[in-house]
């Protein structure tokens, strides 16, 4: 599928996490395994990784049985101007009260920065977005939302409300 991307590039900021054998993974996900394979005169790198490890994109199929998978992604939805909302001062959840005074518009990709960015091991008490905050972002018709935690929902959320709202 050919996708045309129309935008003037001002500055590209890469927020992806480095993939390594000892990176933080979600409990019960398979460990990352990277190995070099030397064959003839070349070196190949073999990478075994779950699709939801490190920096990743959740597609509707992640939660919805008939949802679209990654091969239906429109790159225009994930590339563009963004606003970074710094919530490194919050220890628990980000609520609508924390977000509603921020300058957000429908052209924005919203990136949420929290203390999760600094976790060196899995943190079951990671900062997450409250459902009212997600509903508010949806009402602003943002393009995409990115979080620095392992999930957009609270760890062990029973019904993953934020996933279901967004996907």
């Amino acid at each position: 599928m050919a996708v045309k991307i129309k935008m003037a590039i001002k500055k590209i900021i890469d927020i992806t996490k480095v993939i390594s054998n000892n990176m933080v993974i979600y409990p019960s996900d398979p460990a990352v395994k990277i190995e070099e394979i030397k064959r003839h005169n070349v070196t190949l790198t073999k990478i075994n990784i779950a699709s939801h490890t490190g920096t990743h994109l959740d597609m509707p199929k992640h939660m919805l049985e008939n949802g679209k998978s990654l091969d239906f992604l429109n790159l225009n939805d994930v590339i563009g101007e963004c606003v970074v909302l710094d919530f490194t001062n919050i220890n628990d959840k980000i609520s609508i009260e924390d977000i509603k005074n921020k300058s957000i518009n429908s052209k924005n990709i919203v990136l949420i920065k929290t203390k999760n960015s600094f976790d060196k091991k899995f943190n079951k008490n990671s900062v997450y977005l409250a459902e009212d905050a997600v509903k508010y972002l949806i009402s602003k018709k943002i393009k995409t939302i990115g979080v620095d935690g392992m999930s957009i929902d609270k760890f062990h959320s029973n019904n993953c409300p934020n996933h279901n709202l967004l996907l």
Side-chain angles (χ1 to χ4, degrees):
M1 164 173 49
V3 176
K4 291 183 180 181
I5 299 174
K6 296 178 182 178
M7 64 183 268
I9 298 176
K10 297 176 185 175
K11 182 178 182 180
I12 295 175
I13 301 171
D14 183 358
I15 60 168
T16 54
K17 295 185 182 222
V18 174
I19 297 172
S20 70
N21 287 325
N22 59 354
M23 69 187 300
V24 179
I25 59 169
Y26 201 83
S28 77
D29 281 1
V32 175
K33 185 175 180 186
I34 303 171
E35 60 182 303
E36 286 188 355
I37 301 169
K38 299 202 183 273
R39 190 171 61 198
H40 308 294
N41 293 331
V42 298
T43 301
L44 304 173
T45 303
K46 179 179 177 184
I47 303 173
N48 289 321
I49 188 170
S51 62
H52 287 84
T53 300
T55 308
H56 68 276
L57 180 67
D58 281 349
M59 293 298 293
K61 190 171 187 161
H62 175 51
M63 300 295 290
L64 309 173
E65 188 172 330
N66 294 317
K68 291 187 176 181
S69 56
L70 189 60
D71 48 331
F72 288 94
L73 174 66
N74 180 342
L75 289 177
N76 286 305
D77 292 338
V78 295
I79 297 174
E81 291 186 27
C82 73
V83 59
V84 177
L85 305 181
D86 188 333
F87 294 115
T88 52
N89 61 320
I90 293 178
N91 293 316
D92 184 28
K93 68 179 173 185
I94 300 164
S95 72
I96 189 172
E97 295 303 318
D98 299 313
I99 286 185
K100 70 180 183 181
N101 65 344
K102 305 294 184 184
S103 181
I104 301 169
N105 66 56
S106 63
K107 296 178 184 175
N108 287 140
I109 293 171
V110 175
L111 301 177
I112 306 289
K113 181 178 182 181
T114 69
K115 293 178 179 183
N116 302 335
S117 287
F118 310 105
D119 288 342
K120 300 294 183 209
K121 60 182 184 169
F122 183 79
N123 179 2
K124 67 180 182 180
N125 296 312
S126 62
V127 179
Y128 65 98
L129 273 85
E131 190 174 339
D132 64 350
V134 171
K135 287 179 179 177
Y136 176 78
L137 290 170
I138 291 169
S139 77
K140 298 296 275 182
K141 301 192 184 308
I142 60 168
K143 282 176 58 172
T144 299
I145 183 170
V147 297
D148 60 357
M150 293 294 221
S151 177
I152 197 154
D153 284 298
K154 182 176 183 176
F155 179 63
H156 274 175
S157 168
N158 289 336
N159 57 359
C160 300
N162 296 337
H163 274 87
N164 287 300
L165 285 166
L166 292 164
L167 298 175

